[in-house]
Amino acid sequence: MSTGRIVVDNSVDQATLQAYAGDPDAVLDVTGLDLGRLPPGSRANLHSEADTFSAPHLRTSGNIDAPRATVFSAPKLRASENINATHADVFEIPRLRVAGYIHATSAGEFDAPELRNSGDIDAFATTSFHAPLLETSGYIDAHFAVSFNAPHLRTSRRITAPAVTFFSAPELRTTAYINASNAERFSAPQLEVVEFIYAPKAGFFLPDAT
């Protein structure tokens, strides 16, 4: 099947949609499609300009690009490539286990109870970062999170959580740096490789530039 963007809407029959969705090289513009029709085992890349991205049956996917969606809901999604939903203040991925980067910049809460491995996580606006099974990630940006829960995190490129008052990462072993500038308590007992920790209230300061 040829690569490139394919516009699909509700006029597309299910057999054709199934064929398109099974092509990992295809980019499907699903703006006008009822996403409940997407095959659960989709491998194609999905793009939508709609205000809501709700894919109730989707279990796997290539990249998902939903830059205008204020609601992003994929309740059965388990594995995905990159997810771009930067304007979604409602962001629901309760069964996601593996993903590329996750750009959920506007999410009020970042709740990923089954996520284990991911690329970069941009959850800038979230007030609560909850990823209790996460083990590896790229950077994590949880700038406004007042709670940070990633007790099994072992490796992360960097962590930005300047609003938390207690930073705890009991299994963390490797990261470039941690910004927990408001933390009065800081605990990362297994940390072996780190360039610097910035948590001045807990006694960790930026490296001396001189």
Side-chain angles (χ1 to χ4, degrees):
M1 186 175 293
S2 63
T3 63
R5 182 169 296 187
I6 303 167
V7 177
V8 292
D9 57 25
N10 290 326
S11 67
V12 175
D13 65 81
Q14 199 62 29
T16 301
L17 179 59
Q18 182 85 33
Y20 286 154
D23 181 1
D25 294 321
V27 179
L28 305 186
D29 186 332
V30 296
T31 302
L33 180 71
D34 172 3
L35 300 184
R37 295 183 57 200
L38 283 172
S42 176
R43 300 174 64 202
N45 304 293
L46 307 176
H47 173 82
S48 174
E49 294 290 330
D51 293 337
T52 298
F53 185 97
S54 179
H57 309 301
L58 192 64
R59 294 178 182 270
T60 63
S61 179
N63 297 317
I64 300 175
D65 183 33
R68 295 187 179 182
T70 57
V71 174
F72 183 96
S73 178
K76 294 184 179 180
L77 186 64
R78 290 180 175 266
S80 175
E81 298 296 333
N82 302 322
I83 298 175
N84 179 40
T86 55
H87 283 77
D89 50 15
V90 175
F91 186 76
E92 298 175 343
I93 49 165
R95 303 191 70 180
L96 187 65
R97 295 183 177 182
V98 179
Y101 70 64
I102 301 173
H103 287 179
T105 312
S106 304
E109 294 185 355
F110 185 88
D111 187 10
E114 297 189 14
L115 185 64
R116 289 165 171 77
N117 300 288
S118 78
D120 297 338
I121 300 175
D122 179 0
F124 185 84
T126 189
T127 57
S128 174
F129 184 92
H130 181 68
L133 300 181
L134 184 63
E135 295 180 357
T136 62
S137 75
Y139 73 68
I140 297 174
D141 188 352
H143 195 87
F144 289 101
V146 295
S147 64
F148 182 90
N149 181 32
H152 293 290
L153 184 63
R154 293 171 178 258
T155 302
S156 179
R157 188 149 61 90
R158 68 175 188 267
I159 301 171
T160 303
V164 297
T165 57
F166 176 39
F167 182 91
S168 176
E171 297 294 329
L172 185 63
R173 288 166 169 76
T174 303
T175 189
Y177 68 82
I178 300 170
N179 178 357
S181 58
N182 200 47
E184 298 174 357
R185 292 184 295 158
F186 184 97
S187 177
Q190 303 296 325
L191 192 57
E192 298 170 350
V193 179
V194 63
E195 293 179 15
F196 67 85
I197 298 166
Y198 183 53
K201 294 181 180 180
F204 297 90
F205 300 92
L206 293 174
D208 189 347
T210 61

